[in-house]
């Protein structure tokens, strides 16, 4: 009876690094593609661990190669395919925040025009993870897990969104309603009073944030009537706070003020 099939982690690491270089991708891009942590991808490229076969299949489809091309030593004179950056992405990346919003607005307008629509049978369906973990109510659990469903991306899905989550509670009203879905971008820079999704002491919260002169972290409710739901984490408290990403909203929220 034959034993389990094994693959050389270092060969896989070399092949993955070569493809990432040709595509101009970073470890965080691969992590987003596979739905794993950056630490996991770091282990892949260092030859310390291998992804599951379903993840390898995702990589193969993404780079336009076979699984064998990822798992075997490359043959001489074989040139891996290169996917140039799409012109639309280059234009989008060259715009400021206002320009990007206008770019998306006009793009969505064009998608409603029959003369510009791709026939349904030719459309490429893309999905986004919707984590089945309510945030903001204070009874949730860590987002980074397998408890999610895949939703088809549509016109209302921001291009930069990595996942979505349902908000429970009224602490972010009127800007984010109880039961509404928000889209989140991982690793996006957060300015003070931006809205993020935070993991604190075993719960998940959607809050605005700031740090005071003492280094104390404040996770704030946008609802002026819900100051009681604010979270204060002194710098030396030893409490763990992890930001899962920035909540993508149409406009930036003002600094909260409580009566």
């Amino acid at each position: 009876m034959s034993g389990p099939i094994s693959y050389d982690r270092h060969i896989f690491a070399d092949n993955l690094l070569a493809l990432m270089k040709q595509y101009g991708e970073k470890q965080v891009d691969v992590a987003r593609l596979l739905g794993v942590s950056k630490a996991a991808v770091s282990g892949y490229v260092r030859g310390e661990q291998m992804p599951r076969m379903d993840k390898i299949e995702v990589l193969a489809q993404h780079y336009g190669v076979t699984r064998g091309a990822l798992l075997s030593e490359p043959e001489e004179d074989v040139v891996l395919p290169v996917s140039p950056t799409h012109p639309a992405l280059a234009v989008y990346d060259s715009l400021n925040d206002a320009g990007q919003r206008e770019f998306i607005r006009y793009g969505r307008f064009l998608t409603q025009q029959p003369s510009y629509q791709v026939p349904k049978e030719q459309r490429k369906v893309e999905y986004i993870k919707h984590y089945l973990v309510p945030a903001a109510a204070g009874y949730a659990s860590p987002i980074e897990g397998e408890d999610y469903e895949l939703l088809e991306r549509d016109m209302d899905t921001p291009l930069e969104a990595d996942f979505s989550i349902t908000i429970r509670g009224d602490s972010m009203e009127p800007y984010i309603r109880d039961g509404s879905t928000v889209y989140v971008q991982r690793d996006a820079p957060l300015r003070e009073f931006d809205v993020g999704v935070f993991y604190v002491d075993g719960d998940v919260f959607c809050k605005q944030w700031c740090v005071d002169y003492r280094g104390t972290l404040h996770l704030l409710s946008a609802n002026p009537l819900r100051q009681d739901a604010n979270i204060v984490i002194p710098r030396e408290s030893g409490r763990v706070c992890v930001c899962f990403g920035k909540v993508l909203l149409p406009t930036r929220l003002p600094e909260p003020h409580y009566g």
Side-chain angles (χ1 to χ4, degrees):
M1 181 176 179
S2 61
I5 299 174
S6 61
Y7 299 99
D8 191 311
R9 298 192 304 271
H10 298 286
I11 291 176
F12 171 77
D14 290 342
N15 292 334
L16 178 58
L17 281 170
L19 285 163
M20 290 169 60
K21 182 178 180 181
Q22 290 195 25
Y23 275 65
E25 292 182 338
K26 300 178 180 179
Q27 291 184 19
V28 65
D29 300 313
V30 177
R32 289 173 178 172
L33 172 70
L34 299 181
V36 300
S37 67
K38 288 187 289 186
V41 177
S42 180
Y44 301 159
V45 300
R46 291 199 303 266
E48 296 175 352
Q49 56 182 303
M50 289 280 290
R52 300 194 313 261
M53 191 56 67
D54 60 320
K55 303 293 187 185
I56 293 175
E57 181 64 33
V58 171
L59 287 170
Q61 292 182 9
H62 175 67
Y63 292 123
V65 299
T66 65
R67 284 184 295 178
L70 282 165
L71 299 170
S72 306
E73 288 198 49
E75 300 177 6
E76 292 186 5
D77 301 325
V78 173
V79 179
L80 296 173
V82 179
S83 177
T85 300
H86 194 282
L89 292 178
V91 173
Y92 179 85
D93 290 338
S94 69
L95 301 173
N96 60 20
D97 289 346
Q100 290 177 351
R101 288 194 296 270
E102 181 62 19
F103 181 92
I104 293 172
R105 185 198 66 78
Y106 186 64
R108 287 173 175 165
F109 166 77
L110 290 178
T111 63
Q112 299 298 311
Q113 312 309 308
S115 58
Y116 294 114
Q117 292 176 352
V118 175
K120 289 184 178 181
E121 61 273 12
Q122 297 180 17
R123 293 178 187 173
K124 179 183 177 181
V125 179
E126 295 185 355
Y127 297 91
I128 187 170
K129 288 182 178 180
H130 177 248
Y131 285 96
L132 306 177
V133 177
Y139 55 79
S141 57
I143 292 179
E144 300 291 352
E146 299 300 322
D147 191 17
Y148 65 83
E149 60 183 351
L150 291 176
L151 299 181
E152 186 175 338
R153 286 180 178 265
D154 56 26
M155 292 186 306
D156 295 325
T157 307
L159 294 177
E160 61 270 45
D162 294 307
F163 66 90
S164 63
I165 190 171
T166 299
I167 302 301
R168 299 297 183 194
D170 62 353
S171 66
M172 296 303 291
E173 292 192 359
Y175 306 101
I176 303 175
R177 300 287 184 181
D178 180 18
S180 63
T181 297
V182 297
Y183 295 95
V184 183
Q185 180 183 9
R186 290 192 182 96
D187 303 316
L190 279 176
R191 295 182 292 172
E192 281 202 325
F193 304 112
D194 277 349
V195 180
V197 175
F198 302 91
Y199 172 59
V200 182
D201 299 335
D203 292 332
V204 175
F205 301 91
C206 176
K207 297 288 184 183
Q208 292 179 264
W209 78 280
C210 72
V211 176
D212 65 22
Y213 68 96
R214 295 179 179 176
T216 298
L217 172 64
H218 298 264
L219 301 181
L220 305 173
S221 302
N223 186 343
L225 301 178
R226 289 306 312 275
Q227 185 177 2
D228 63 297
N230 290 356
I231 301 170
V232 179
I233 306 177
R235 181 170 53 183
E236 299 179 356
S237 67
R239 298 173 68 187
V240 176
C241 177
V242 177
C243 179
F244 284 119
K246 178 181 179 180
V247 175
L248 302 172
L249 298 171
T251 59
R252 191 163 186 264
L253 270 58
E255 177 182 348
H257 292 284
Y258 306 107

